[in-house]
Amino acid sequence: MEPLPRTTRPEGTRPFHALGADDVLRQFGSGLSGLDETEARLRLERYGRNELAPAQRRGPLRRLIGQFNNILLYVMMGAAVVTASLEHWLDTGVLLAAIVINAIIGFIQEGKAETALDAIRTMLAPHALVIRGGRRYEIKAAALVPGDVVVLNPGDRVPADLRLIAAKELRIDEAALTGESLPVDKSVAPVPNNATPADQSCMAFSGTVCVQGQASGVIVATGATTELGQINRMLAGIQRAATPLIQQINKFSYWLALVILALGALTFLFGTLVRDLPPSDMFMMVVAMVASAIPEGLPVVLTVTLALGVQRMARQKAVVRRLAAVETLGSVTVICTDKTGTLTRNEMTVERIVCAGRVVEVSGVGYMPAGAFFVDGRQIGAGSDPVLAQAIRAGVLCNDAALRKADEHWFVEGDPTEGALLVLGHKAGLTPDALSSAWPRVDSLPFESVNRYMATHHVGPDERPWIFAKGAPERILELCDSQSDLAGTAALDVDYWRRMATDLAARGLRLLAIAEKPAEPDGPLMADADLGGHFTMLALVGIVDLPREEAIRSVRDCHAAGISVKMITGDHADTARAIGAQLSIGMGKPSLTGSEIALMDTGTLQRVVSDVDIFARASPEHKLRLVQALQLNGHTVAMTGDGVNDAPALKRADVGVAMGLKGTEAAKDAADLILADDNFATIVVAVREGRAVYDNVKKFMLFMLPTNGGEALLIIAALIFGLTLPLTAVQVLWINMATASTLGLALAFEPAERNIMRRRPRPPAASLFPLFFVWRIVYVSFLMMGVALALFLWEIDNGASLSAARTMAVNTVVFSEMFYLICSRYITESVLSLEGLTGNRYVLFAIAASIVLQVLYTHASFMQRIFGSSSLSPMDWSKVIAASFLVFLAAELEKAVVRGIQERDPVLLPSKGIP
């Protein structure tokens, strides 16, 4: 999607972030005193209000009517008309209920999806502090115009896209827009032309939040032309595609309806023209046969199966917002995931400490204050290494964060990297409270982006003054002229520290250097001059947001299941590659950055996207393009995200997955699935459930089609061979009513099979019915037809009445379906085990209910009057059960043959597509 033209930037000029602040002010005809009111009113008329226009929506009635525009629902409505014309009101009621339930669910979910645009609009600031005519005052943010000068203070939401013209210690939380996990330091210095939004340090973007410092900036874009506005535009232009299963079922239903109608017409013509049967009788028989063959139970089972999947996922902390997404998860071939908080814990952890002459490794993960220290694999006590203890003590004292515990959960208030130093202190037995008492703080210099260090002044236990400093390694090294080692104090080895800093950075670690000097400020308050030198270098600290242990396992499970995992993050490429290596993502493969993606056309990106698993510094447009490129390559894509910048990609993906804990409302409303625990492992659980849903739908269809086919073949065979019809029209409808609502529905409750995550994903274009399934349907259909017709003819030949023979035929068909229902629990595996025979209690309940119905059908006098049935003797019942049991044995024998073929010749009959 092309970006929206920037109407505020003259064509052919450099982007605002590449220009100096004075140049941008001149370009807008503005200055430090801002615009005057007259010019502001003129610009408001020219550029419009600083707000996002509401999306055009269909009214509630149109949305409700649109839910019925579905081939499957057309088939169901046709079946409802047929059953109503025959006055079979129970069938009609079930069909209409399924139609209404499907429509209501679709109506509600569509309404929820539209709120994603509302969620983005709520991110706009309601008010802003503007400078006009040299005077500061607060106005509604919607009245801001390009060229206005806006003032930012801590806690302010940025009201429009600003080019900063003055900034002091400004840090902005851009996580919702760029995906950057930590607040970003801002300055007024221009950056290169091709810098991505995440690297435009001289810009402040609409919807982001100022967390520290003060600044002023000139507005360069408002409303729809802001970065936030472009995301809103992308989101509004994205249409959801139908899920793979719904597409397949729509196509299947269309062709099945044509086949059923054609078969009905041929049967009618054959019966009336060839067999000279009365047209009225044949019409009723064909209507009954057509009604029984239409898969009206499919939408009910599909809805119930999806709903059960939703319940199971909810118990695993995956909240489904769109019902059809449950099934789509089962066909996912690629998962595009954020890094921070999803694959990682979003808890910074000190992993390595470099002292002079040695490297100390630290165990423990996250903010839990438990761990140990190791040198060359040997555990040491922090107190046994005086330099290590000095460094940890300095890191705890030169610190403004706080470590808290609530409900057995540890968390940090303040900067996460400072929190990691506090956790390190706890591991060494140096708690902040104890150190603060022994080393009281006198004064401090807060971190400034210009200096890139923080310093504190303390009084030691011996009343000596000390200054501790921590910050960027290159800045701290400039302050040092010595280093502390086990032998005492030595001259600073700059090359050693730079070499070790490079090594830690290559491991994807964030670096802090810690130093100290026994001195006090020259004046009553600390100043930058007090840090002029003579510090002693203590240590380099390597901090990382470690991967979740369960995420490592889940990525491995994804690879075993044939699912590719791609990391798309706003972090730097080195950090992303280091975390990817620990997760086995992108090993031995190149990575791409957002700026490189921007230079690729669609065709190039489509060619390379499958070979790259790590994408760093990605913008919203890049994420959307990556999803589209993967889909063009035939992949079914699940996309995770938490920020408003992720909303377009979440909506465009086949399954959008939002974070429940740290996710913005815009991301949640655009997503199909919300992770209540922000955990990648939960996605894998959801994929497993999605595969189970698809399995259960296919099991139902493999059960339903042969049973319906057996009934139709029973009638057709009798007509072809000139036999007495073994079933009447009303008896055909009874079989359909008694089994469709009881037996088949039990398969919706089937648990996932053990090998479900060892299969490859089904290709999105794969047929709903491969040749193997077609064979199974034909085979079982003829089995059921054969045993029922054989028993019917046997009874007629032995002098049984026509009503008794037909009653036995009806019972044989229904009991055959009961036995075949048990077989259908596993598609190729044998059910001849305790688990196979009794593992799904709903199957047993359904069989018991069907038995009760058949006893009533056979022996209740009112049922005999309605359906023309007659009572059966115990011997007759034994014949029915024996004949039906033959279907069970023959079906299990066929499975054994199939398994043998798979083992001997996997090319002829591959098992990867068959449960």
Side-chain angles (χ1 to χ4, degrees), residues 467-505:
I467 296 177
F468 301 116
K470 74 174 192 306
E474 57 272 25
R475 288 294 291 124
I476 296 298
L477 284 172
E478 291 175 1
L479 305 178
C480 297
D481 54 18
S482 63
Q483 64 189 42
S484 183
D485 57 28
L486 293 176
T489 302
L492 183 70
D493 186 349
V494 177
D495 290 339
Y496 168 78
W497 294 107
R498 288 177 177 170
R499 188 169 66 253
M500 297 308 294
T502 301
D503 177 70
L504 292 182

Side-chain angles (χ1 to χ4, degrees), residues 370-445:
F373 300 86
F374 300 86
V375 175
D376 296 328
R378 178 177 53 85
Q379 183 172 344
I380 65 168
S384 65
D385 187 322
V387 179
L388 176 63
Q390 280 178 279
I392 296 174
R393 181 185 63 206
V396 173
L397 291 171
C398 187
N399 202 306
D400 287 331
L403 183 65
R404 309 285 189 212
K405 184 180 183 182
D407 299 327
E408 302 303 318
H409 175 71
W410 291 87
F411 64 96
V412 165
E413 293 178 353
D415 186 274
T417 55
E418 290 193 326
L421 295 177
L422 296 183
V423 175
L424 180 69
H426 276 274
K427 293 176 182 178
L430 301 173
T431 61
D433 290 342
L435 287 177
S436 296
S437 298
W439 298 74
R441 180 188 291 193
V442 178
D443 199 4
S444 66
L445 276 178

Side-chain angles (χ1 to χ4, degrees), residues 68-83 95-96 99:
F68 294 93
N69 185 22
N70 181 289
I71 293 176
L72 193 57
L73 292 184
Y74 292 155
V75 174
M76 293 173 62
M77 287 185 276
V81 170
V82 172
T83 54
L95 287 164
L96 292 178
I99 293 168

Side-chain angles (χ1 to χ4, degrees), residues 203-253:
M203 298 289 294
F205 298 107
S206 177
T208 59
V209 179
C210 176
V211 296
Q212 179 182 310
Q214 292 84 32
S216 60
V218 57
I219 294 179
V220 297
T222 59
T225 61
T226 63
E227 291 291 331
L228 195 65
Q230 291 199 75
I231 294 172
N232 186 70
R233 173 174 167 264
M234 285 191 288
L235 187 61
I238 295 170
Q239 299 296 322
R240 290 190 188 274
T243 68
L245 180 60
I246 296 300
Q247 290 176 334
Q248 290 175 326
I249 287 179
N250 286 341
K251 185 177 180 180
F252 164 75
S253 299

Side-chain angles (χ1 to χ4, degrees), residues 459-581:
V459 175
D462 57 358
E463 301 300 323
R464 291 180 64 193
W466 288 85
I467 296 177
F468 301 116
K470 74 174 192 306
E474 57 272 25
R475 288 294 291 124
I476 296 298
L477 284 172
E478 291 175 1
L479 305 178
C480 297
D481 54 18
S482 63
Q483 64 189 42
S484 183
D485 57 28
L486 293 176
T489 302
L492 183 70
D493 186 349
V494 177
D495 290 339
Y496 168 78
W497 294 107
R498 288 177 177 170
R499 188 169 66 253
M500 297 308 294
T502 301
D503 177 70
L504 292 182
R507 298 173 183 268
L509 302 178
R510 297 176 184 267
L511 302 185
L512 280 178
I514 299 176
E516 66 179 15
K517 71 174 178 178
E520 62 181 347
D522 292 335
L525 297 176
M526 285 190 72
D528 290 328
D530 295 318
L531 278 75
H534 307 298
F535 273 81
T536 299
M537 182 71 175
L538 297 177
L540 284 175
V541 177
I543 303 175
V544 67
D545 182 11
L546 289 169
R548 296 174 182 260
E549 289 297 324
E550 60 271 29
I552 296 173
R553 294 192 299 270
S554 297
V555 170
R556 185 170 60 245
D557 291 342
C558 284
H559 292 159
I563 300 171
S564 175
V565 179
K566 297 184 182 294
M567 181 196 298
I568 305 177
T569 178
D571 271 337
H572 292 281
D574 289 342
T575 303
R577 281 192 294 266
I579 295 298

Side-chain angles (χ1 to χ4, degrees), residues 305-377:
T305 303
L306 293 174
L308 291 172
V310 168
Q311 292 179 2
R312 288 193 291 263
M313 289 184 193
R315 288 194 290 268
Q316 300 289 338
K317 299 185 179 181
V319 181
V320 177
R321 297 187 66 255
R322 197 164 66 101
L323 199 60
V326 178
E327 173 274 323
T328 311
L329 280 163
S331 61
V332 163
T333 58
V334 175
I335 299 176
C336 297
T337 178
D338 188 19
K339 175 184 72 68
T340 304
T342 307
L343 292 171
T344 64
R345 301 174 60 90
N346 200 21
E347 296 179 353
M348 305 303 288
T349 304
V350 175
E351 190 175 63
R352 284 177 175 246
I353 304 171
V354 175
C355 298
R358 63 204 176 282
V359 176
V360 181
E361 296 180 351
V362 186
S363 66
V365 176
Y367 295 147
M368 174 73 72
F373 300 86
F374 300 86
V375 175
D376 296 328

